[in-house]
Amino acid sequence: QLGLDEWYQLGVTQESRIIELGPGSGRLTRHLIGRCSHLVVLDFSPAVCKWMNDYLAGKGSFEVRQISDAQTGLTAGSFDHVRAHGVVEHLDQETLFNFLMEFARVLRAGGTFVFTFDCLLSEFSKGYLEHLDPLDPGRFRLYHPDTIRRLAEMSGYSSKVFHDGERIAFASLTKL
């Protein structure tokens, strides 16, 4: 389950302007596009951007932007929500902080950034770390909930983090 009702669609209205970071195949995107006034999807991958343009055609107001870093080029204070599912675990701490700062810039006061992350407190994390090749740290970055809270605080958000012992945790950040 994506956590749609509890996390991703919370506060979303037909008037909402939403950014989705790292849409991948559209697993979350398909639940956002018809529930908002405008959706901007951001991804590093040209293939994902092409797929999103084709997939979203005719489904609502949207824009696809290929990015090379955390700079979006979007207007300050012009969005209500940012969403990311299965993305943050691929970002190192510095890159996540840069995205937090950029999204704090483009979100209106009270806007939210909701995302999942791989939690260092889970049983998965120990096994994952034990089997890493020391010369290749792997694709997943594990975050402690307190690290997410501190990064949020440093970049201008209040935070709510939910971890139930499983691998995936949720964070809901609100721009102050």
Side-chain angles (χ1 to χ4, degrees):
Q1 172 69 333
L2 284 172
L4 282 169
D5 295 334
E6 305 88 351
W7 295 96
Y8 292 123
Q9 292 178 352
L10 198 61
V12 171
T13 68
Q14 288 293 329
E15 293 78 40
S16 296
R17 292 175 48 82
I18 301 175
I19 299 166
E20 184 183 3
L21 177 63
S25 66
R27 186 172 171 206
L28 175 59
T29 315
R30 70 174 125 288
H31 298 285
L32 298 174
I33 186 67
R35 298 180 187 265
C36 62
S37 67
H38 188 69
L39 176 67
V40 173
V41 294
L42 307 172
D43 206 286
F44 293 102
S45 166
V48 167
C49 290
K50 181 184 179 331
W51 159 250
M52 280 288 112
N53 269 312
D54 295 343
Y55 177 71
L56 294 175
K59 292 186 172 124
S61 176
F62 73 93
E63 179 182 351
V64 176
R65 289 188 178 213
Q66 184 179 344
I67 55 173
S68 58
D69 57 28
Q71 302 309 304
T72 65
L74 298 167
T75 304
S78 62
F79 284 84
D80 302 294
H81 306 287
V82 178
R83 301 294 188 253
H85 183 78
V87 175
V88 168
E89 57 265 25
H90 301 298
L91 304 177
D92 62 31
Q93 184 172 286
E94 295 79 9
T95 303
L96 175 56
F97 181 73
N98 289 334
F99 274 112
L100 290 171
M101 293 297 292
E102 175 64 3
F103 294 148
R105 184 187 72 77
V106 301
L107 282 169
R108 64 167 176 71
T112 63
F113 179 18
V114 175
F115 58 89
T116 55
F117 63 96
D118 277 13
C119 189
L120 185 61
L121 299 177
S122 69
E123 285 302 313
F124 164 82
S125 66
K126 183 176 186 295
Y128 179 74
L129 292 172
E130 285 176 341
H131 294 95
L132 280 180
D133 177 344
L135 300 177
D136 178 13
R139 312 178 28 199
F140 296 100
R141 304 297 180 262
L142 305 170
Y143 284 95
H144 191 285
D146 288 342
T147 301
I148 296 294
R149 289 184 191 100
R150 178 63 180 139
L151 289 170
E153 176 187 337
M154 292 188 318
S155 49
Y157 300 88
S158 64
S159 61
K160 181 170 62 171
V161 176
F162 174 76
H163 177 251
D164 64 359
E166 297 297 322
R167 173 182 175 179
I168 304 299
F170 281 87
S172 179
L173 313 183
T174 303
K175 180 181 173 183
L176 301 173

